[in-house]
Amino acid sequence: GEKNGVDYFFVSEPEFRALIAEGAFLEYAVYQNHFYGTSRAAVDEPTAEGYDLILEVEMQGAEQLQVRLPDAVRVFIEPPSLDVLETRLRDRRTETEEVLRGRLQRAQEELAYAKQCHHRIVNDSVDKAVDALLRIIREARRERG
């Protein structure tokens, strides 16, 4: 149901590879045989105007951002437990068992990565998680001056 130019910008794999070669992405990754990335322009333009951005990326992208944007504040949002995550994924009924197992395995790897982030938020309640993220943003703004 996602729409090109609204939710994401969709390009073919050859186009994506060409954009990588051009250095058009601030970060990119391949996940579940799909290419994902954040264009430099999508970040540079609003940040130059003074906007704060929240990028939702997985580990490969986060590691690239850590190098390319060393002053960025890294926040890891995690489920209350792997069991809760599994229940949430199963309740969606959007993935095959094989894909679900892969996502749960990946989640374990990502939890190990969380130690490299500045902050961790347990998403046991959307409202509490949003409040925690807003506190982190306000704190980062104060520190930047």
Side-chain angles (χ1 to χ4, degrees), residues 1-11:
E2 295 151 339
K3 293 182 177 36
N4 189 31
V6 176
D7 302 297
Y8 294 99
F9 294 93
F10 297 101
V11 298

Side-chain angles (χ1 to χ4, degrees), residues 54-67:
I54 298 171
L55 303 179
E56 180 188 355
V57 298
E58 52 69 66
M59 288 186 314
Q60 293 174 60
E63 289 171 348
Q64 293 169 51
L65 289 172
Q66 189 172 346
V67 171

Side-chain angles (χ1 to χ4, degrees), residues 131 133-143:
D131 287 345
L133 182 59
L134 290 173
R135 279 193 302 277
I136 292 166
I137 291 169
R138 284 191 291 272
E139 176 185 316
R141 286 178 180 164
R142 276 193 302 275
E143 288 176 4

Side-chain angles (χ1 to χ4, degrees), residues 116-132:
Q116 297 181 42
C117 295
H118 298 105
H119 303 276
R120 292 172 78 161
I121 297 173
V122 176
N123 185 13
D124 55 352
S125 155
V126 172
D127 290 338
K128 287 183 358 186
V130 168
D131 287 345

Side-chain angles (χ1 to χ4, degrees), residues 37-76:
T38 304
S39 77
R40 288 182 181 278
V43 172
D44 291 347
E45 292 169 14
T47 55
E49 294 177 18
Y51 289 97
D52 294 318
L53 297 181
I54 298 171
L55 303 179
E56 180 188 355
V57 298
E58 52 69 66
M59 288 186 314
Q60 293 174 60
E63 289 171 348
Q64 293 169 51
L65 289 172
Q66 189 172 346
V67 171
R68 293 184 180 117
L69 297 174
D71 294 334
V73 177
R74 293 181 311 280
V75 180
F76 190 90

Side-chain angles (χ1 to χ4, degrees), residues 106-121:
R106 182 69 173 191
Q108 289 179 330
E109 297 166 10
E110 290 173 347
L111 285 170
Y113 173 79
K115 296 173 189 161
Q116 297 181 42
C117 295
H118 298 105
H119 303 276
R120 292 172 78 161
I121 297 173

Side-chain angles (χ1 to χ4, degrees), residues 61-113:
E63 289 171 348
Q64 293 169 51
L65 289 172
Q66 189 172 346
V67 171
R68 293 184 180 117
L69 297 174
D71 294 334
V73 177
R74 293 181 311 280
V75 180
F76 190 90
I77 300 176
E78 61 189 276
S81 70
L82 289 173
D83 289 338
V84 169
L85 177 61
E86 181 173 358
T87 299
R88 288 176 179 175
L89 291 173
R90 286 189 184 284
D91 287 350
R92 290 158 109 186
R93 301 185 197 297
T94 56
E95 285 131 345
T96 65
E97 185 65 26
E98 180 182 346
V99 169
L100 190 133
R101 288 278 146 227
R103 290 192 64 175
L104 291 171
Q105 175 62 39
R106 182 69 173 191
Q108 289 179 330
E109 297 166 10
E110 290 173 347
L111 285 170
Y113 173 79

